[in-house]
């Protein structure tokens, strides 16, 4: 999938939302993609690998923790000393720590790589760690309450995460599934990528956009992780470097905005910032791809 196709699918989602003027079709689309197709996609790609492959990309798992730590600590310190008691400090942390590693990360990673399994492993590992963290942050900075344990268990029950864990268990156990089974699984799962982009397009809004907040989220969610990965990992294998660079630099996830809305924590500002940063990130990687030929 190329950039033109990605933008067309995002645009299609936006137009369909305007024409249909109903959330129901997009709710069904979200369930189809998130709960079914994405699980097929992740399972097929991960289960087709072997243990030696996983060991060869252990750097990917290390960088998940490094990027979470960097984004969380820098946004926290900025919020504590610059924003102080402003509720936006909590929203900034959520947006900075929770990237859109699937709906946008997978298509962009595919611009640079034929095999995006390292990106998939980064994404699912990241989500497993991040979901309880950002839920706790949103609850802490709002009037709500949240259980970190319940959030973590919810992450484990998410079909793509569960599919990833099952696939990893098979790989570690040395169980190789036949090609006649994995082939159709991956083919069905591939449809999650274009449909994710259509769904993302349906979420677009520019309400309550503020330049200062755009720059703040852009700095902690994109600029700092991008610079860190580029400077420290550029000599790694291409499949590791580009997977981590893309996944670490993604704009905030749609799910991050949903969590903020759940706790009534600056949701409108967050959605506007997320959309603009998504367009900027697409432009960033289009430029990078052009420079690399």
């Amino acid at each position: 999938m190329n950039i033109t196709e990605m933008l067309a699918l995002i645009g299609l989602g936006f137009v369909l939302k305007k024409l249909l003027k109903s959330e129901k079709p997009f709710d069904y689309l979200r369930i189809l993609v998130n709960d079914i197709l994405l699980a097929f996609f992740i399972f097929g790609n991960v289960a087709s690998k072997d243990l030696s492959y996983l060991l060869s990309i252990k750097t990917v798992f290390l960088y998940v923790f490094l990027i979470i730590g960097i984004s969380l600590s820098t946004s926290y310190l900025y919020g504590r000393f610059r924003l102080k008691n402003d509720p936006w400090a909590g929203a900034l942390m959520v947006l900075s720590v929770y990237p859109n590693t699937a709906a946008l990360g997978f298509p962009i990673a595919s611009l640079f790589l034929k095999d995006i399994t390292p990106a998939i492993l980064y994404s699912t590992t990241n989500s497993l760690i991040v979901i309880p963290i950002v839920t706790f942050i949103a609850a802490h900075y709002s009037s709500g309450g949240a259980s970190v344990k319940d959030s973590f268990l919810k992450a484990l029950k998410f079909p793509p995460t569960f599919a990833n864990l099952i696939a990893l268990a098979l790989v570690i156990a040395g169980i190789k599934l036949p090609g006649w089974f994995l082939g159709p699984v991956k083919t069905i799962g591939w449809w999650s990528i274009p449909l994710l982009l259509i769904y993302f397009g349906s979420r677009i809004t520019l309400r309550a956009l503020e330049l200062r907040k755009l720059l703040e989220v852009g700095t902690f969610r994109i600029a700092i992780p991008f610079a860190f990965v580029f400077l420290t990992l550029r000599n790694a294998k291409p499949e590791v470097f580009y997977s981590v660079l893309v996944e670490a630099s993604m704009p905030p996830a749609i799910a991050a905005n949903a969590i903020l809305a759940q706790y009534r924590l600056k949701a409108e500002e967050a959605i506007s910032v997320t959309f603009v940063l998504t367009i900027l990130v697409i432009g960033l990687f289009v430029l990078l791809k052009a420079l690399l030929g």
Side-chain angles (χ1 to χ4, degrees), residues 15-79:
V15 171
L16 287 174
K17 176 62 184 302
K18 294 295 183 182
L19 293 174
L20 296 176
K21 297 179 180 179
S22 172
E23 288 292 338
K24 277 192 175 182
F26 300 100
D27 287 339
Y28 294 140
L29 178 62
R30 175 181 52 80
I31 293 170
L32 172 65
V33 174
N34 282 349
D35 293 354
I36 301 173
L37 295 180
L38 194 55
F40 273 77
F41 182 72
I42 289 171
F43 182 86
N45 279 275
V46 176
S48 62
K49 302 302 183 291
D50 55 32
L51 184 57
S52 61
Y53 176 85
L54 293 182
L55 292 175
S56 72
I57 60 168
K58 56 183 179 295
T59 303
V60 171
F61 298 100
L62 171 63
Y63 267 78
V64 171
F65 291 94
L66 287 174
I67 297 301
I68 290 173
I70 290 169
S71 296
L72 183 60
S73 60
T74 54
S75 59
Y76 169 75
L77 290 172
Y78 178 84

Side-chain angles (χ1 to χ4, degrees), residues 104-181:
L104 200 63
F106 294 169
I108 289 181
S110 68
L111 291 175
F112 300 91
L113 303 166
K114 291 184 178 179
D115 179 12
I116 66 168
T117 301
I120 291 171
L121 293 172
Y122 185 106
S123 174
T124 51
T125 305
N126 181 84
S127 295
L128 188 63
I129 299 166
V130 157
I131 288 175
I133 292 175
V134 298
T135 304
F136 174 78
I137 292 171
H140 178 73
Y141 280 86
S142 70
S143 59
S147 165
V148 175
K149 178 183 176 181
D150 288 346
S151 298
F152 192 74
L153 290 175
K154 184 177 180 180
L156 286 174
K157 292 177 182 177
F158 184 47
T161 301
F162 185 71
N164 184 57
L165 293 176
I166 293 296
L168 283 173
L170 292 174
V171 171
I172 292 171
I175 299 173
K176 191 75 172 178
L177 298 177
W180 60 261
F181 174 76

Side-chain angles (χ1 to χ4, degrees), residues 75 79 83-96 134 137-138 140-142 260 265-266:
S75 59
L83 302 176
K84 302 188 184 299
N85 295 323
D86 188 340
W88 173 250
L92 175 61
M93 291 174 66
V94 169
L95 296 173
S96 298
V134 298
I137 292 171
H140 178 73
Y141 280 86
S142 70
L260 292 175
L265 190 64
K266 301 292 183 177

Side-chain angles (χ1 to χ4, degrees), residues 205-211 213 267-273:
T205 178
L206 281 176
R207 293 193 300 261
L209 179 65
E210 293 183 31
L211 180 60
K213 293 178 179 178
E268 283 201 356
E269 293 97 320
I271 292 172
S272 300
V273 164

Side-chain angles (χ1 to χ4, degrees), residues 181-201:
F181 174 76
L182 288 176
V185 168
K186 289 197 282 187
T187 299
I188 293 170
W190 179 87
W191 284 99
S192 64
I193 292 181
L195 292 177
L196 275 169
L197 292 172
I198 292 172
Y199 177 73
F200 179 80

